[in-house]
Amino acid sequence: MQRKKRLFLQAFVIIAVVILAACYMIRLPYFVQSPGKAQSMTRLVTVKGGHPVNGDYSLVYIYLGQANIYEYLWAKFDGNKYTTLINENEIKMPNENDQAYNLRQENYMDEAQQSAAYTAYKEAGKKPKLIQQGALVLGVIPGMPGARTLKTGDLIIGMDHHKIKSSANLVALLKNMRPGDKVNLTIIRGKQTIQAEIPISRFPKNMAGSGEKQGLGIYPSDQFKVQVAPPVRFNIKNIGGPSAGLMMTLDIYDQLTGQDLAKGRNIAGTGTIELDGSVGPIGGIEEKIVGADKSGVKIFFAPVADHEYEAAEKTAKAIGSHMKIVPVRTFSDAKNYLLK
């Protein structure tokens, strides 16, 4: 009898351990998003010989990770309205694996850094040089011919004797192609340059975007670099995406000009920065307001696009924050506000 009880207890413990381990290891098709913090960009963005910044420009990050069973239940029943569950298909592209997702986030951050440098140096009258390198493959659509040849991370630099400098170049050349037509691509993969012949095919019905009905079956993005003098160094690690674009631009501009835009203040914000200086939305604005407020931020720049400024104002009021929320459409809006 004692032996049976002992065996039963051992079996119960083993089953309990297996269940607990599964709750940690099994990932669900949801991401948990919650407020992070404002992180000063001092020593993260450095212009060689630049003027010291009197104050802080901060990027604001949020916690975003794929949920296991415990995290799902915590987010579902925690009661904190700023800890939310987001469906996986709102975060990842269709059939996107972790490697492709991470590459996409890294590329977004790299693009943001290059765009920030270009905009800041141009605004400071430093004449930056834009070097377009090609169309980067961020992902492939399973089932299309291109998926059998192209890989995430490939850089397309040529097609049928035409140079490809951007994703727009590639799309323009593909526009008049028909299913069954074949194109010869020149691709940089790692340290190798390779040639590939790929047939054009129709997109799956649920994936035809931007009005296009056929193509290579890839998700392309621009790959470019900016040459500037004096040089600027970025040391931002473990943070992906383009949301720090505006704040990096302000930091670089202040270092270049010595105009003391910061004036000793803790300034944060969010928003992409485009090559023309426009500021775009990024999402997660409510969580960023909460994180910035907890970090003692005094001024927060919020993009006007997609009603993000309105959402930021509403959140700041809801949590009783005394931060000044400033709406911005362009880099000049942020710069001129600080100059005042």
Side-chain angles (χ1 to χ4, degrees):
M1 189 69 178
Q2 290 295 328
R3 185 171 178 272
K4 286 184 178 180
K5 287 183 178 180
R6 196 163 52 247
L7 290 173
F8 175 80
L9 182 60
Q10 289 174 347
F12 176 80
V13 170
I14 291 171
I15 292 171
V17 169
V18 170
I19 291 173
L20 289 172
C23 288
Y24 276 109
M25 297 177 64
I26 295 174
R27 298 198 303 173
L28 302 176
Y30 293 93
F31 278 69
V32 176
Q33 179 172 281
S34 60
K37 296 180 181 179
Q39 181 174 345
S40 170
M41 288 192 290
T42 302
R43 294 185 296 276
L44 298 185
V45 181
T46 309
V47 175
K48 187 174 182 179
H51 300 274
V53 173
N54 174 29
D56 269 321
Y57 294 106
S58 298
L59 60 84
V60 184
Y61 63 86
I62 58 178
Y63 296 112
L64 181 67
Q66 194 156 10
N68 60 29
I69 294 174
Y70 283 119
E71 290 164 336
Y72 175 86
L73 293 173
W74 166 66
K76 192 78 172 175
F77 301 108
D78 179 61
N80 185 341
K81 65 179 294 186
Y82 300 111
T83 297
T84 56
L85 285 168
I86 304 175
N87 198 293
E88 183 180 43
N89 59 23
E90 296 180 45
I91 303 294
K92 289 185 173 182
M93 293 178 177
N95 300 293
E96 185 176 42
N97 60 30
D98 288 346
Q99 179 187 7
Y101 172 77
N102 291 332
L103 173 69
R104 182 160 59 89
Q105 295 305 312
E106 290 169 8
N107 184 67
Y108 286 157
M109 172 56 83
D110 184 63
E111 279 189 13
Q113 292 172 354
Q114 300 302 312
S115 294
Y118 183 85
T119 303
Y121 278 72
K122 184 179 178 181
E123 288 283 336
K126 298 293 185 180
K127 298 181 180 180
K129 183 178 180 182
L130 180 67
I131 302 172
Q132 294 178 299
Q133 298 175 308
L136 181 69
V137 178
L138 293 183
V140 297
I141 299 175
M144 294 191 68
R148 294 195 291 268
T149 304
L150 296 170
K151 297 181 178 180
T152 298
D154 283 349
L155 182 65
I156 301 173
I157 61 171
M159 187 184 102
D160 293 341
H161 309 297
H162 296 279
K163 286 186 177 180
I164 300 296
K165 294 184 177 181
S166 66
S167 57
N169 287 161
L170 183 64
V171 171
L173 289 171
L174 292 171
K175 190 172 183 179
N176 296 320
M177 296 285 182
R178 295 183 177 182
D181 291 345
K182 294 182 179 180
V183 296
N184 291 291
L185 300 181
T186 303
I187 302 162
I188 295 178
R189 179 176 294 165
K191 296 182 179 180
Q192 292 184 319
T193 300
I194 61 177
Q195 304 292 323
E197 184 180 75
I198 300 176
I200 301 299
S201 60
R202 293 189 183 277
F203 290 121
K205 290 183 179 179
N206 62 335
M207 293 185 183
S210 304
E212 301 296 330
K213 296 181 180 180
Q214 61 274 329
L216 295 172
I218 64 172
Y219 300 106
S221 179
D222 292 338
Q223 178 92 345
F224 60 89
K225 294 293 181 185
V226 175
Q227 287 184 352
V228 294
V232 59
R233 179 173 178 267
F234 297 94
N235 188 33
I236 300 174
K237 298 178 181 179
N238 301 321
I239 298 177
S243 66
L246 172 62
M247 300 314 299
M248 291 190 291
T249 309
L250 284 168
D251 200 328
I252 295 168
Y253 181 84
D254 209 340
Q255 292 182 57
L256 283 172
T257 63
Q259 291 186 9
D260 189 20
L261 298 181
K263 296 182 176 65
R265 296 170 290 187
N266 187 356
I267 304 163
T270 188
T272 64
I273 191 75
E274 305 300 328
L275 293 173
D276 63 0
S278 60
V279 177
I282 190 59
I285 191 77
E286 293 90 350
E287 290 82 0
K288 290 179 181 180
I289 289 293
V290 174
D293 181 68
K294 289 181 178 179
S295 300
V297 169
K298 301 301 181 185
I299 298 171
F300 188 98
F301 290 114
V304 171
D306 280 4
H307 306 288
E308 289 202 342
Y309 166 69
E310 296 171 19
E313 279 270 78
K314 183 177 180 181
T315 303
K317 184 177 180 180
I319 64 174
S321 174
H322 297 291
M323 278 192 304
K324 176 64 178 177
I325 312 298
V326 181
V328 289
R329 289 181 174 85
T330 66
F331 167 74
S332 294
D333 289 343
K335 179 188 71 174
N336 293 336
Y337 176 84
L338 295 177
L339 281 172
K340 292 177 183 178

